[in-house]
Amino acid sequence: MSPALTKLPAGAEILQAGGRGGTGNVLYYFPREQPPLVLKVYRPRRSRVREGLKHFSERVLEGKRGATAAIRCATEKLNLVLWEREGFEVIPHFARPLPAGIAMPALWLGYCEAPLLSEALTDARRPMEAKLALVEALGGSLSRRHRRAMELKEPLLVHEHGQIKHFFVVGDRLVAFDLEHGFKPGYPVIKAVARELAGIATSLARANQGAPDAFLRAFVAGYLNKSLLRQAAQEAIHGAGLLGWIRRWQPRGDSSPLGKTRIMERLEAML
């Protein structure tokens, strides 16, 4: 058993423990703290060899900050501080000592007892009107954040793994989380925006496969900066570079009706 799991910290419950043999992050939940807290302990996501290959790929081929546990912890903290400073809804973080037996890399986060956006949009009990309002609000929040990212030339203001499962629905607020990966300084912001938009749009379409265009239209309606949306859609379709070209030509890849390229083509046609 991993050292992180040999003994629970006092007052903690295990919220998540993925992986085997000491791999995968561990989330400890502290329900009696005020407010309730989560301690995220960062660990390798795979074997040492595969982790090394992933780290190389991210830093050298993908323009990202890196995949080691220590870098992912540092990246998440940077993201949380930046997003909060710029006024964007993000899970809160706290500076406090670690419990006995827990070592860095680790980060204290606020606990959010709310449904994921992906759950809300696939909930048969939730009226379609309410779902479309959430999607339109998502479009508005991304439009504001992307505009600020472009102004600051700051790729960290773009969610590296943009999907609807990475937002909590807290009343009428959409709170982002899972920001442990990010793009390096100098990475072209429009490419980062295109990647997030492609991920978001594809996850929206897949959440409503019976009528995917309904969510896409609501998202486009909420995304106020239409010129940036058009530019990012073009980047996602045509300008993804070598890795994007490889993905598009993989069997059953982006050529499928719900693949990222096809979804971004449909989104672009709505502008």
Side-chain angles (χ1 to χ4, degrees), residues 106-129:
L107 192 61
W108 286 103
L109 304 170
Y111 176 71
C112 191
E113 189 172 4
L116 303 177
L117 180 56
S118 55
E119 295 170 338
L121 295 182
T122 55
D123 185 352
R125 298 166 297 177
R126 190 178 291 259
M128 179 56 72
E129 182 180 352

Side-chain angles (χ1 to χ4, degrees), residues 20-94:
R20 297 180 179 179
T23 65
N25 295 340
V26 179
L27 301 181
Y28 293 111
Y29 174 44
F30 292 79
R32 289 184 290 277
E33 295 291 333
Q34 293 298 325
L37 296 175
V38 169
L39 180 62
K40 184 173 184 178
V41 179
Y42 300 80
R43 303 193 303 176
R45 307 301 293 266
R46 45 188 63 79
S47 70
R48 181 177 298 181
V49 172
R50 293 182 64 199
E51 187 88 343
L53 291 173
K54 176 63 174 173
H55 181 65
F56 173 83
S57 174
E58 287 206 3
R59 287 192 58 82
V60 177
L61 303 178
E62 302 175 53
K64 300 176 187 177
R65 291 176 52 84
T68 67
I71 289 177
R72 285 186 280 111
C73 179
T75 298
E76 186 134 40
K77 186 174 181 180
L78 278 173
N79 270 316
L80 294 174
V81 170
L82 175 64
W83 285 43
E84 192 175 78
R85 186 193 77 197
E86 294 297 325
F88 299 112
E89 296 280 9
V90 70
I91 203 77
H93 69 288
F94 301 88

Side-chain angles (χ1 to χ4, degrees), residues 118-231:
S118 55
E119 295 170 338
L121 295 182
T122 55
D123 185 352
R125 298 166 297 177
R126 190 178 291 259
M128 179 56 72
E129 182 180 352
K131 294 179 181 180
L132 293 175
L134 284 174
V135 176
E136 189 168 340
L138 177 67
S141 67
L142 263 67
S143 180
R144 292 187 295 274
R145 178 160 51 77
H146 291 165
R147 180 185 63 189
R148 188 59 175 155
M150 296 291 287
E151 290 171 349
L152 297 179
K153 296 182 175 59
E154 178 51 84
L156 281 181
L157 277 175
V158 181
H159 202 308
E160 180 273 338
H161 195 40
Q163 291 189 26
I164 57 175
K165 68 180 181 180
H166 291 146
F167 295 87
F168 289 114
V169 180
V170 184
D172 60 354
R173 298 162 51 223
L174 297 174
V175 179
F177 69 99
D178 194 13
L179 295 163
E180 64 182 69
H181 290 275
F183 299 99
K184 291 192 293 187
Y187 187 84
V189 177
I190 189 60
K191 289 184 178 292
V193 168
R195 291 183 64 163
E196 181 178 10
L197 283 171
I200 290 289
T202 302
S203 61
L204 282 172
R206 292 174 178 175
N208 190 26
Q209 294 192 29
D213 285 356
F215 282 171
L216 294 179
R217 287 195 183 94
F219 181 82
V220 170
Y223 201 102
L224 298 179
N225 192 336
K226 296 297 193 290
S227 62
L228 177 57
L229 185 55
R230 185 175 291 104
Q231 183 184 1

